[in-house]
Amino acid sequence: EVVLTQSPATLSLSPGERATLSCRASQSISRFLAWYQQKPGQAPRLLIYDASERAADIPARFSGSGSGTEFTLTITSLEPEDFAVYYCQQRTYWPPLTFGGGTKVEIK
Amino acid sequence: HLLESGGGLVQPGGSLTLSCGASGFTFSQDAMTWVRQAPGQGLEWVSSISATGGSTYYADSVKGRFTISRDNFKNTFYLHMTSLSAEDTAIYYCAKDSGRWGDFDYWGQGTLVTVSS
């Protein structure tokens, strides 16, 4: 099973600041990693797939990078609606599909 | 696009069947998945089914207890859950595969399953 470790668990930032979220895989997963955003009381929303491809209707301030075991989600300038929990998920080796534990981006 | 139903309160050891109705896309061409989220916790993949229904996959935590199925004529897929325990208490989301086999571009709003006596 591929274990995904996200860091930090919580990121406290102000609107307009840059957010950098990390996801580390327990073994190489090539580029088959996705990022999701989840707001309280809502379903997850796909942001990034295949490490760096933005999903439909996702603003350009969201970008992904990485390959192998190290991946990053960057939000260049936080908008008020970006404060949420972010999950990474791999699809290279499954079952099982696995998610990271999440990073909460909160308002400082 | 995706609407879950069937959640509710069930006693330990009981059974429940969740449904997910789909609209707005060609349901029979897409694999579908159930993902759950225990209260205050992260996301956990539960089960997936191929577009034709010929292939099914389960997390170890539910294997032998849950059964995924689909009816492409009704644009609906299901999760039949048996031998439920408190550890199965969660919001259950249905999700549509993106076509890349293993990530999900549309999600339902979720249905809450509570296992308690």
Side-chain angles (χ1 to χ4, degrees), chain A residues 67-78:
Chain A
S67 65
T69 62
E70 301 284 342
F71 300 87
T72 301
L73 175 69
T74 302
I75 312 171
T76 52
S77 178
L78 282 163

Side-chain angles (χ1 to χ4, degrees), chain A residues 9-36:
Chain A
T10 303
L11 198 52
S12 299
L13 295 168
S14 301
E17 289 194 295
R18 181 186 188 94
T20 303
L21 288 66
S22 174
C23 178
R24 175 173 293 178
S26 60
Q27 63 188 88
S28 177
I29 56 170
S30 186
R31 294 180 59 82
F32 299 127
L33 185 101
W35 291 93
Y36 299 87

Side-chain angles (χ1 to χ4, degrees), chain A residues 46-105:
Chain A
L46 179 65
L47 297 176
I48 300 287
Y49 64 91
D50 291 352
S52 61
E53 302 295 321
R54 268 192 305 277
D57 301 325
I58 301 303
R61 64 181 181 273
F62 292 92
S63 65
S65 63
S67 65
T69 62
E70 301 284 342
F71 300 87
T72 301
L73 175 69
T74 302
I75 312 171
T76 52
S77 178
L78 282 163
E79 297 287 340
E81 62 267 28
D82 299 336
F83 292 92
V85 180
Y86 293 83
Y87 294 95
C88 57
Q89 177 243 318
Q90 68 84 24
R91 64 179 183 90
T92 304
Y93 299 112
W94 71 285
L97 280 167
T98 50
F99 291 87
T103 290
K104 181 180 182 180
V105 179

Side-chain angles (χ1 to χ4, degrees), chain B residues 34 51 70-71 77 84 87 107:
Chain B
W34 290 97
R70 65 190 295 161
D71 185 334
F77 79 115
L84 287 162
E87 287 69 40
W107 296 64

